[in-house]
Amino acid sequence: MKLRSAITVCAVPQAKSGPFVFHGASQADFSANLHLAKDIGFDAVELFLPDAKQISASETKNQLEKLSLGLAAVGSGAGWVVHQLSLTAKENADRTKAIDFVKSLIDWAGPWSAPTIIGSMQGRVGADEERAEVLKRLGDSLSQINEYASARYSSQVLYEPLNRYETNLFTRIGEAAKWLESQSLSNVLILADLFHMNIEEINLATAIEECKFSGKNWIGHVHWADSNRRAMGMGHTDTAPIAAALKSIGYCGYLSGEVFPTPDSLSAARQTFLSIQSAF
Ligand code: LER
Ligand code: MN
């Protein structure tokens, strides 16, 4: 089966130096970026939105339908980057605000039943905190988000392990998948970001293969990034064993270019697209 390609479009001004290929916060820039994604040949876009209001869901829906572009996923990182909201905040009221922010993005993505990504909003274990306590808060928050997404839209939630400089909760995909299983979160899958994995995993292909257990593939989405977070092919990652591992676990989701726009957005997008075409 041919895996589908996606490219990241960021509409969060505070994340303009972040690892997203297309940037632009106005509705006009956003719309132009969707056209560029289509022109290059992507099947879908992955959106990094400031909140559920500033970019219109209905206008976006019309435009994506006209362009025959899918919505691969919506990132929630603005909850942390812009509003400092964390799903593991100590205070119940702060956690509720974080959960409500994620729910509003789930509503935004509802018409597509597209998954919502939990990356930087997962937070971290503070110096004065017990890991078990923080994990319990993460489990509780994910459980509420999971229920909301599956009951209203049958959509999935993607939990993303990050490298050690961004979280100390889960940095390796296999450990995170085992923990998800222990929490019985029916609709939460792992987002495997090859950039973070390059820092944390012993072997990328083996780590992917280890995400198939209990009769299930636990990977729901892939951030297709090279070792240096440039477009795949601009670093030193060997894609052949990764592609073979994804096929062997029966992965059938998106490969989404979440990389820096280096040397520029169009070159990074084209290189991402070509690398997906040649690897699969
Ligand atoms: C989000 O997908 C991610 O990978 C984080 O590193 C955000 O900065
Ligand atoms: Mn990522």
Side-chain angles (χ1 to χ4, degrees):
M1 169 170 177
K2 197 90 187 142
L3 292 182
R4 289 162 297 168
S5 61
I7 196 74
T8 44
V9 178
C10 173
V12 182
Q14 293 89 337
K16 68 176 188 299
S17 58
F20 307 104
V21 171
F22 292 112
H23 291 262
S26 70
Q27 187 85 42
D29 283 348
F30 180 75
S31 166
N33 286 335
L34 301 185
H35 275 276
L36 291 173
K38 178 66 188 179
D39 290 347
I40 292 167
F42 286 99
D43 297 310
V45 286
E46 176 181 324
L47 303 179
F48 193 70
L49 301 172
D51 54 37
K53 293 196 189 100
Q54 291 186 53
I55 298 290
S56 155
S58 59
E59 270 185 50
T60 306
K61 189 158 194 300
N62 285 341
Q63 199 184 349
L64 291 184
E65 274 169 8
K66 268 190 212 142
L67 293 171
S68 294
L69 266 179
L71 178 59
V74 171
S76 64
W80 172 249
V81 175
V82 182
H83 310 284
Q84 278 76 57
L85 296 172
S86 165
L87 294 170
T88 51
K90 240 181 238 168
E91 300 299 328
N92 286 344
D94 294 337
R95 272 202 317 283
T96 301
K97 277 189 208 154
I99 292 167
D100 286 346
F101 181 84
V102 175
K103 284 181 179 173
S104 72
L105 291 177
I106 291 170
D107 289 334
W108 195 96
W112 293 269
S113 297
T116 302
I117 299 169
I118 307 299
S120 50
M121 279 195 79
Q122 68 189 269
R124 54 190 302 133
V125 186
D128 59 338
E129 292 182 300
E130 290 292 329
R131 179 177 175 80
E133 282 294 308
V134 182
L135 282 185
K136 183 168 181 320
R137 301 203 286 261
L138 181 66
D140 288 347
S141 295
L142 284 180
S143 163
Q144 291 184 50
I145 291 166
N146 172 50
E147 260 170 49
Y148 190 85
S150 51
R152 292 186 184 221
Y153 307 107
S154 308
S155 56
Q156 287 171 339
V157 176
L158 299 165
Y159 171 69
E160 180 174 19
L162 304 173
N163 73 70
R164 66 191 69 183
Y165 308 107
E166 297 185 43
T167 193
N168 53 9
L169 288 170
F170 288 101
T171 55
R172 300 186 60 188
I173 60 173
E175 281 170 20
K178 290 276 178 196
W179 177 77
L180 287 182
E181 184 183 44
S182 77
Q183 301 294 301
S184 309
L185 296 164
S186 58
N187 255 335
V188 186
L189 293 176
I190 294 290
L191 193 171
D193 182 321
L194 299 173
F195 164 74
H196 297 305
M197 288 171 65
N198 180 64
I199 296 171
E200 300 296 344
E201 305 289 355
I202 297 168
N203 178 289
L204 275 64
T206 310
I208 290 167
E209 285 156 8
E210 284 172 1
C211 283
K212 181 152 187 185
F213 56 86
S214 305
K216 172 170 168 181
N217 157 36
W218 289 81
I219 299 183
H221 195 71
V222 172
H223 278 162
W224 185 249
D226 214 321
S227 51
N228 48 9
R229 222 171 202 181
R230 294 188 184 196
M232 189 63 88
M234 293 180 165
H236 58 74
T237 297
D238 181 5
T239 55
I242 296 169
L246 287 170
K247 280 183 198 152
S248 80
I249 64 165
Y251 179 70
C252 55
Y254 284 98
L255 302 159
S256 182
E258 187 196 60
V259 298
F260 290 114
T262 307
D264 55 71
S265 298
L266 276 181
S267 308
R270 288 198 185 105
Q271 174 59 33
T272 295
F273 185 73
L274 289 176
S275 68
I276 294 170
Q277 296 294 105
S278 63
F280 293 91

